[in-house]
């Protein structure tokens, strides 16, 4: 037996080096978040370059645990309200318990924290579809409607903050910037909502050009375009009951109000009390920073936006950083912790959830 034949017999497909294309895909997927994370850390260190570490540690030691516990409760309460709002939208497709939807929301956010690729809507939609015997495309569309409504409500809060006239004054017109950003946000999400409901029937038919293009794209992924379009259109629903319609709007507003109290409780824990509109300003400014950071692929947009907003409000650096860290760390711990519990109770691990969600295996 020759050396060459011996090597051939001993080799296996598992021993072969990964193809070049897979390495490029991994680099293309992970390089932007890694570079963005480095840039975000550099910016945070620059913002807090004059931090008095001794005062920071002293503030941490004196932090009131009761207010921190209140912060943790309101973080979970916000997700519960979002789950209740989603229930109102999904009800005409199939009534689903609020706690189950809240768990799916946490599971989606938790998966996105562990695998920062923007897969949270896919994970939560796939999870509810699996547990409730629904089509994933149908559930996914209801999550999109909920997201668009959140965008409209967020724009209204931005307009309220801008019109209140209590925005910190800096170089340039921050009030005008918030008003314009809010108006653009309102127009964008309002138009997307209108388009979803206006073209629902058109998208379900076979003839239009947009449907043929959609079917051609889905064939690349070995999916049934017509069936997928049908499942997506089944999720374009609006509650028939007027109280549920009102509940969607009330839930969206209530979730934003609960979110704006997070820095209230974090501030009380370290001895900082701001004006009521300052908390709305923090929520709006940090929210716009989060959206912007997603476009430029820089993680930590909420943290950076919050740091800039606290600087505008004149909050001491040590207390501001503590408030941000309490909010951010508790959110991560609670979301990832409860999210993984939900996945575990469903008999799913994070790798399988990610693989299933990315494949978007819609049952037809």
């Amino acid at each position: 037996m020759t050396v060459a034949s011996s090597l051939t017999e001993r080799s296996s497909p598992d021993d072969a080096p990964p193809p070049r294309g897979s390495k490029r895909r991994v680099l293309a997927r992970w390089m932007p978040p890694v570079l963005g994370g480095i840039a975000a850390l550099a910016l945070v260190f620059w913002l807090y370059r004059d931090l008095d570490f001794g005062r920071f540690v002293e503030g941490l030691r004196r932090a009131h645990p009761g207010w921190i516990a209140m912060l943790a409760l309101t973080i979970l309460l916000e997700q519960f309200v979002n789950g209740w709002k989603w229930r109102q939208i999904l009800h005409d497709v199939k009534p689903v318990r609020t706690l189950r939807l809240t768990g799916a929301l946490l599971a989606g956010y938790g998966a996105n924290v562990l695998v920062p690729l923007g897969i949270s809507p896919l994970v939560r939609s796939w999870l509810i579809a699996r547990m409730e015997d629904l089509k994933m495309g149908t559930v996914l569309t209801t999550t999109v409607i909920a997201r668009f409504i959140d965008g409209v409500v967020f724009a209204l809060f931005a307009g309220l903050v801008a019109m209140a006239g209590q925005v910190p004054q800096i170089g340039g017109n921050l009030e005008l910037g918030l008003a314009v950003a809010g108006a653009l946000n309102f127009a964008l999400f309002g138009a997307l909502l209108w388009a979803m409901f206006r073209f629902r029937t058109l998208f379900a038919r076979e003839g239009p050009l947009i449907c043929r293009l959609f079917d051609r794209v889905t064939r690349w992924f070995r999916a049934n375009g017509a069936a997928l379009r049908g499942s997506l259109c089944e999720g374009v629903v609006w509650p028939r009951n007027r109280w549920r319609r009102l509940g969607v709007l009330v839930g969206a507003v209530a979730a934003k109000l609960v979110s704006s109290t997070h820095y209230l409780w974090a501030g009380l824990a370290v001895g900082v009390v701001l004006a009521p509109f300052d908390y709305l300003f923090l929520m709006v400014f940090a929210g716009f920073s989060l959206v912007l950071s997603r476009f430029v692929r820089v993680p930590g947009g909420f943290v950076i936006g919050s740091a800039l907003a606290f600087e505008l409000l004149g909050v001491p650096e040590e207390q501001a950083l503590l408030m941000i860290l309490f909010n951010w760390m508790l959110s991560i711990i609670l979301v990832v912790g409860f999210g993984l519990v939900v996945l575990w109770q469903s008999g799913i691990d994070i790798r399988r959830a990610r693989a299933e969600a990315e494949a978007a295996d819609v049952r037809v």
Side-chain angles (χ1 to χ4, degrees):
M1 181 181 294
T2 64
V3 175
S5 62
S6 176
L7 289 174
T8 303
E9 290 176 4
R10 292 180 185 178
S11 63
S12 66
D14 295 336
D15 297 330
R20 250 179 226 181
S22 64
K23 290 183 178 179
R24 289 176 182 172
R25 285 195 297 270
V26 170
L27 287 175
R29 173 173 288 184
W30 288 102
M31 189 59 70
V34 170
L35 294 178
I38 294 172
L41 284 174
L43 183 55
V44 169
F45 276 112
W46 180 79
L47 286 170
Y48 291 104
R49 60 192 182 278
D50 298 325
L51 181 76
D52 187 329
F53 189 72
R55 289 182 59 188
F56 173 81
V57 173
E58 181 65 18
L60 179 62
R61 187 179 66 83
R62 293 178 175 273
H64 196 289
W67 294 122
I68 296 175
M70 191 68 183
L71 170 61
L73 288 175
T74 53
I75 290 172
L76 294 176
L77 176 62
E78 180 189 357
Q79 299 308 317
F80 181 82
V81 174
N82 280 325
W84 182 81
K85 176 195 66 186
W86 188 13
R87 182 177 190 271
Q88 311 313 308
I89 299 172
L90 192 60
H91 186 271
D92 288 352
V93 177
K94 183 177 182 180
V96 182
R97 292 183 293 110
T98 300
L99 282 177
R100 174 162 289 184
L101 294 172
T102 304
L105 285 171
L106 292 171
Y109 287 131
N112 204 50
V113 169
L114 297 176
V115 186
L117 301 176
I119 63 172
S120 59
L122 295 173
V123 170
R124 70 177 68 121
S125 302
W126 172 75
L127 190 59
I128 291 299
R130 179 181 182 272
M131 292 190 294
E132 296 293 335
D133 195 28
L134 294 169
K135 297 177 181 178
M136 180 179 165
T138 302
V139 182
L140 181 61
T141 307
T142 63
T143 68
V144 173
I145 293 173
R147 182 66 61 88
F148 288 171
I149 291 172
D150 286 340
V152 170
V153 171
F154 181 79
L156 295 176
F157 272 101
L160 176 63
V161 170
M163 289 187 298
Q166 299 184 20
V167 176
Q169 299 300 315
I170 58 173
N173 195 331
L174 186 56
E175 291 179 8
L176 178 61
L178 287 178
V180 171
L184 292 175
N185 215 53
F186 184 88
L188 172 63
F189 287 107
L192 289 172
L193 273 174
W194 176 85
M196 285 185 69
F197 286 92
R198 174 66 178 81
F199 296 106
R200 172 179 50 185
T201 305
L202 175 68
F203 196 60
R205 298 206 303 263
E206 296 293 337
L209 176 61
I210 186 173
C211 297
R212 295 199 301 270
L213 292 175
F214 181 87
D215 293 347
R216 183 173 300 176
V217 171
T218 55
R219 278 198 295 270
W220 295 344
F221 300 97
R222 299 180 181 178
N224 187 328
L228 181 57
R229 282 191 285 109
S231 65
L232 290 172
C233 290
E234 288 173 8
V236 183
V237 293
W238 189 245
R240 290 188 292 268
N241 183 286
R242 63 177 180 178
W243 294 111
R244 293 196 182 279
R245 292 197 295 267
L246 180 62
V248 174
L249 302 177
V250 169
V253 172
K256 296 301 178 189
L257 289 175
V258 173
S259 176
S260 68
T261 66
H262 291 170
Y263 279 132
L264 168 64
W265 313 120
L268 289 172
V270 297
V272 173
V273 179
L274 303 173
F277 267 96
D278 288 342
Y279 297 109
L280 291 179
F281 168 73
L282 282 165
M283 181 195 69
V284 169
F285 194 91
F288 277 130
S289 300
L290 177 62
V291 173
L292 181 62
S293 68
R294 286 176 177 171
F295 279 108
V296 298
R297 302 295 299 273
V298 174
F302 186 84
V303 173
I304 295 171
S306 298
L308 291 171
F310 277 124
E311 186 173 343
L312 293 176
L313 292 171
V315 178
E317 291 183 350
E318 295 78 17
Q319 292 168 306
L321 184 57
L322 283 171
M323 293 167 68
I324 293 171
L325 288 178
F326 285 149
N327 194 356
W328 179 69
M329 292 182 67
L330 280 176
S331 297
I332 296 295
I333 292 170
L334 292 172
V335 165
V336 173
F338 281 95
L340 291 180
V341 168
V342 171
L343 290 175
W344 172 71
Q345 286 186 335
S346 304
I348 309 164
D349 60 28
I350 188 65
R351 291 183 180 179
R352 182 183 171 193
R354 173 191 169 186
E356 295 275 1
E358 288 183 329
D361 187 13
V362 182
R363 290 183 301 103
V364 295

